[in-house]
Structure formats: structure tokens, C-alpha cells
Amino acid sequence: MIQEWLMNLLPEQASSMAWAVDGLMLLLVATAAFFTALIFTLVVVFTVRYRRNHATEQPVQIHGHLGLEIFWSAVPTVIVLIFFGLGAWVYIIQNTAPTGGFEVSVVGKQWMWKFQHPDGKREINELHVPLGQKVHLLMTSEDVIHSFFVPAFRIKNDVIPGRYTQLWFEATKVGAYHLFCAEYCGTQHSGMIGKIVVMEPAEYQRWLGSEIAASGGVKTPQEEGRLLAEKNACLTCHATGRAPAFPGIYGSTVQFENGIQAVVDDAYIRESILDPTARLVAGYQPLMPTYTGQLSEEEIMRIISYIKSLKNVPDAANAPVAGGAR
Ligand code: CUA
């Protein structure tokens, strides 16, 4: 009864993490309510119990009580540490993206959400996903700061220009769920909404098949990235030894002239495309021009997908692209 009433106050729970977020929130509210009630009750009780009975009454002077001091320091410390532990646990799970799953690229733009599925299917303001599968969102913005918020999944994260942020969720219920932009981003901010449609896996496959057939076939992000790399003549240097080769570079550690090392991840590749000399790998000449203004954020994401797909083929330069993450 009371549980039902509480659940009606909250948005629908439709992801594997929703109960943990709600549980933590309700525990915090319950703890705060308990101490609020306790303090108010004690204020009233003490006011009555220790009131002044006649004009000349003097209160007894108390000069400290070690036991009490320890008690009211230790109890709150233990309580906040419990909340810290639970909060950190939820935070770590939510920020540990599943690897190699269903990866969707998200680009926020005044005022729409652009998605691309691992199979290459694109959508705007609508994202169809299969039920019970971990969906990993790799997000960036084309212009200003937006925020990707799906209340039913209890997920929210900023979408920031010049940076990649992520989110993941596993939908537990078929249905359509609101997607909001939760960061004021201009006049049409309130219209920057959409929906996440969760489908049975078989139905999702049927939907995807018919969508792809209707559009006459689509290329995977990796294939698009490879075509972009060819079109922009990346391989003129990156396949000839004048610049680091793509195969196997993603996830590897590179060293710069100043001796500092870095792992090649999405952010590093993006930086190298837009500002090639910012962190130049040791032993190479600063030959590469900047691609700022020539490639959109979406195109950069495709090129990164392509380079990522070459992760496990260190020997084969220009190796054929693996067909998505299916
Ligand atoms: Cu985008 Cu608000």
C-alpha cells in the first residue's frame, strides 16, 4: 500500500538501475524525515519538561559530557558513511560503461537529438532499443551544453561541446519513455525532447530490418568512418609511416616528445583531428593540418568508430572493417 503510493510519486521504473537510485533517494528522505521528527519532538518535550517553574529558579550548570560527545559524533559519522558507500556504489555502476555492447552515438544540437545505431541506422529525437540489452551512449554536442535525461531510466548526463561523455542503461520494460534536454540551451530548449522506444529484441530486429530496407541500406559507422578517412586523405600519411598507423592504435599507449604518455581514446583522437600538434606522438613531424570546420562532430565520431574497429588487427593496414558491433 505505502510502497504503491510512494512509487506513484516517482516516474515509472524502466531500467535495471532505477530501483537502486530510487532506493537510495527514499532512504535519504526517510532518514531526514526521522531526524526531523525526532528533533521537533524533543524540542517540544524539553520545552515542557525543563521549563522554568518560578522566577528565582536557577538551572543546573553542566560542563561537558564525554560519553555524549562521542555518541553524537559517532552516530552521524556512521550514518553519512553508509550514505557515502551506497552513493559511491550507485555512482560507480552508473559510470562504468559496458564495453563492446550496443553502442549508440548521440549528438546534441540546438534543438534536437541525433542518434546513430551500431548498424548505421540514424534517428532524430527518437531512439529505438532492444529490451534487456545494455545500451551505451557516447555523446557530444555540436554547439552548446545540453543534458540527456531519461527519467524512467534514472539517467542524466551533460552533453558538452568539445568533449565526449557517456551513459548506459538496460531497459527492463517495453514502452516509450520521455527524453528531455535538462540544461537550458536557448529559446527552443523546452522543445528539445524526444522518446526512447524499448522493443522486444525480435521486434527490434524486424523494425531495424524494415527501416534499413526502406532507406535502401545503410552503412555502419565504421564503414562511414573509413570512407571519410579515404575522402580526407588520412591514409596518405597514416598508412605510409609518416604518421602513426591506425590498426591497433586505439587503446594503446603513445609517448610525446616531452616524455609524457597517454592512452589513445576517443578524446585523444578527436583532439588530434582538430588540433594535431597539441599532443604529437614522439618521432613524427607536425605535418597534419587541422580539420576544424571541415568535419562535423558526427563525422569525427564515425572516424573514431573506424579506428576503434581496427583495434584488434595490429598487422593489417587498411584491413576490412568489421561489420559493426552486432
Ligand atoms: Cu538542449 Cu536544452
Side-chain angles (χ1 to χ4, degrees):
M1 177 65 193
I2 190 158
Q3 198 186 356
E4 208 174 294
W5 177 80
L6 273 176
M7 285 301 123
N8 284 336
L9 284 181
L10 301 171
E12 192 175 358
Q13 291 184 335
S15 80
S16 58
M17 279 304 288
W19 68 272
V21 176
D22 290 357
L24 181 61
M25 196 274 290
L26 291 173
L27 191 62
L28 277 163
V29 171
T31 308
F34 170 77
F35 282 102
T36 306
L38 180 71
I39 290 166
F40 270 81
T41 309
L42 289 179
V43 165
V44 174
V45 169
F46 288 175
T47 310
V48 175
R49 175 84 175 74
Y50 299 108
R51 73 185 184 281
R52 206 177 184 191
N53 285 311
H54 44 86
T56 55
E57 186 180 325
Q58 291 294 322
V60 181
Q61 296 300 318
I62 296 169
H63 298 281
H65 189 297
L66 185 65
L68 262 182
E69 296 277 359
I70 291 174
F71 173 74
W72 66 46
S73 300
V75 171
T77 304
V78 169
I79 292 174
V80 294
L81 281 177
I82 290 172
F83 283 127
F84 169 76
L86 291 173
W89 175 68
V90 172
Y91 180 87
I92 288 168
I93 294 179
Q94 289 208 320
N95 282 277
T96 310
T99 49
F102 189 96
E103 201 167 279
V104 176
S105 72
V106 180
V107 176
K109 185 174 189 261
Q110 286 171 322
W111 289 276
M112 63 173 97
W113 295 107
K114 296 195 276 188
F115 300 103
Q116 189 175 26
H117 289 242
D119 314 81
K121 165 73 187 154
R122 288 163 196 275
E123 295 190 85
I124 289 178
N125 292 342
E126 243 186 37
L127 175 64
H128 291 71
V129 295
L131 181 75
Q133 198 171 336
K134 288 192 170 80
V135 178
H136 180 198
L137 306 170
L138 189 64
M139 314 189 293
T140 192
S141 167
E142 195 85 54
D143 39 44
V144 300
I145 301 177
H146 304 277
S147 179
F148 192 95
F149 180 33
V150 185
F153 298 164
R154 308 292 189 273
I155 55 167
K156 176 157 83 172
N157 201 1
D158 281 358
V159 177
I160 303 169
R163 202 189 289 182
Y164 292 115
T165 54
Q166 45 189 357
L167 277 175
W168 74 271
F169 63 86
E170 182 184 332
T172 52
K173 248 193 225 176
V174 168
Y177 304 99
H178 288 296
L179 159 65
F180 295 112
C181 176
E183 184 76 55
Y184 181 70
C185 56
T187 50
Q188 302 291 311
H189 155 72
S190 62
M192 194 168 163
I193 52 178
K195 61 181 173 182
I196 312 289
V197 181
V198 178
M199 302 165 114
E200 290 288 350
E203 202 195 327
Y204 172 79
Q205 288 305 333
R206 262 200 302 281
W207 171 86
L208 190 66
S210 66
E211 287 282 319
I212 288 176
S215 54
V218 292
K219 289 185 178 64
T220 63
Q222 292 82 355
E223 287 166 340
E224 285 181 1
R226 183 171 55 89
L227 292 176
L228 281 166
E230 282 167 9
K231 193 176 123 202
N232 287 285
C234 303
L235 300 175
T236 311
C237 294
H238 286 281
T240 56
R242 271 188 286 178
F246 289 159
I249 196 158
Y250 189 90
S252 69
T253 302
V254 289
Q255 187 161 7
F256 311 121
E257 289 291 358
N258 57 13
I260 293 173
Q261 296 186 329
V263 172
V264 178
D265 59 6
D266 298 51
Y268 176 71
I269 297 175
R270 181 181 178 279
E271 178 193 84
S272 298
I273 292 171
L274 298 177
D275 188 4
T277 54
R279 287 187 290 167
L280 192 68
V281 176
Y284 291 97
Q285 295 300 311
L287 299 169
M288 182 168 158
T290 171
Y291 283 83
T292 305
Q294 300 187 45
L295 292 168
S296 68
E297 290 295 343
E298 284 176 272
E299 289 173 323
I300 294 171
M301 280 177 142
R302 309 301 170 251
I303 293 174
I304 293 172
S305 294
Y306 164 58
I307 295 174
K308 221 188 254 188
S309 74
L310 302 174
K311 192 174 169 180
N312 298 319
V313 278
D315 310 320
N318 299 320
V321 185
R326 258 219 272 201

